[in-house]
mmCIF file of all heavy atoms in Angstrom:
data_model
loop_
_atom_site.group_PDB
_atom_site.id
_atom_site.type_symbol
_atom_site.label_atom_id
_atom_site.label_comp_id
_atom_site.label_asym_id
_atom_site.label_seq_id
_atom_site.Cartn_x
_atom_site.Cartn_y
_atom_site.Cartn_z
ATOM 1 N N SER A 498 19.157 -0.573 28.439
ATOM 2 C CA SER A 498 20.504 -0.975 28.839
ATOM 3 C C SER A 498 20.611 -2.458 29.122
ATOM 4 O O SER A 498 21.681 -3.052 28.979
ATOM 5 C CB SER A 498 20.980 -0.173 30.048
ATOM 6 O OG SER A 498 21.232 1.187 29.696
ATOM 7 N N GLY A 543 26.583 2.891 9.844
ATOM 8 C CA GLY A 543 25.327 2.537 9.194
ATOM 9 C C GLY A 543 24.072 2.981 9.902
ATOM 10 O O GLY A 543 22.959 2.580 9.524
ATOM 11 N N GLN A 702 35.789 3.334 34.487
ATOM 12 C CA GLN A 702 36.474 3.084 35.739
ATOM 13 C C GLN A 702 35.557 3.192 36.935
ATOM 14 O O GLN A 702 35.734 2.509 37.951
ATOM 15 C CB GLN A 702 37.616 4.071 35.885
ATOM 16 C CG GLN A 702 38.762 3.838 34.883
ATOM 17 C CD GLN A 702 39.809 4.940 34.928
ATOM 18 O OE1 GLN A 702 39.514 6.082 35.321
ATOM 19 N NE2 GLN A 702 41.031 4.608 34.555
ATOM 20 N N ASN A 717 36.426 -4.060 24.612
ATOM 21 C CA ASN A 717 37.300 -4.386 23.488
ATOM 22 C C ASN A 717 38.136 -3.199 23.058
ATOM 23 O O ASN A 717 39.281 -3.341 22.646
ATOM 24 C CB ASN A 717 36.464 -4.891 22.292
ATOM 25 C CG ASN A 717 35.912 -6.263 22.511
ATOM 26 O OD1 ASN A 717 36.435 -7.040 23.292
ATOM 27 N ND2 ASN A 717 34.837 -6.592 21.797
ATOM 28 N N VAL A 752 27.477 2.125 -6.335
ATOM 29 C CA VAL A 752 26.532 1.326 -5.550
ATOM 30 C C VAL A 752 27.297 0.599 -4.458
ATOM 31 O O VAL A 752 28.428 0.178 -4.652
ATOM 32 C CB VAL A 752 25.735 0.360 -6.440
ATOM 33 C CG1 VAL A 752 24.842 1.096 -7.420
ATOM 34 C CG2 VAL A 752 26.666 -0.568 -7.176
ATOM 35 N N LEU A 787 24.053 4.322 -2.190
ATOM 36 C CA LEU A 787 25.014 4.896 -3.128
ATOM 37 C C LEU A 787 26.050 5.730 -2.343
ATOM 38 O O LEU A 787 25.721 6.463 -1.413
ATOM 39 C CB LEU A 787 24.326 5.799 -4.133
ATOM 40 C CG LEU A 787 23.279 5.208 -5.053
ATOM 41 C CD1 LEU A 787 22.689 6.290 -5.940
ATOM 42 C CD2 LEU A 787 23.876 4.071 -5.892
#
Side-chain angles (χ1 to χ4, degrees):
S498 290
Q702 292 173 333
N717 287 337
V752 295
L787 300 177

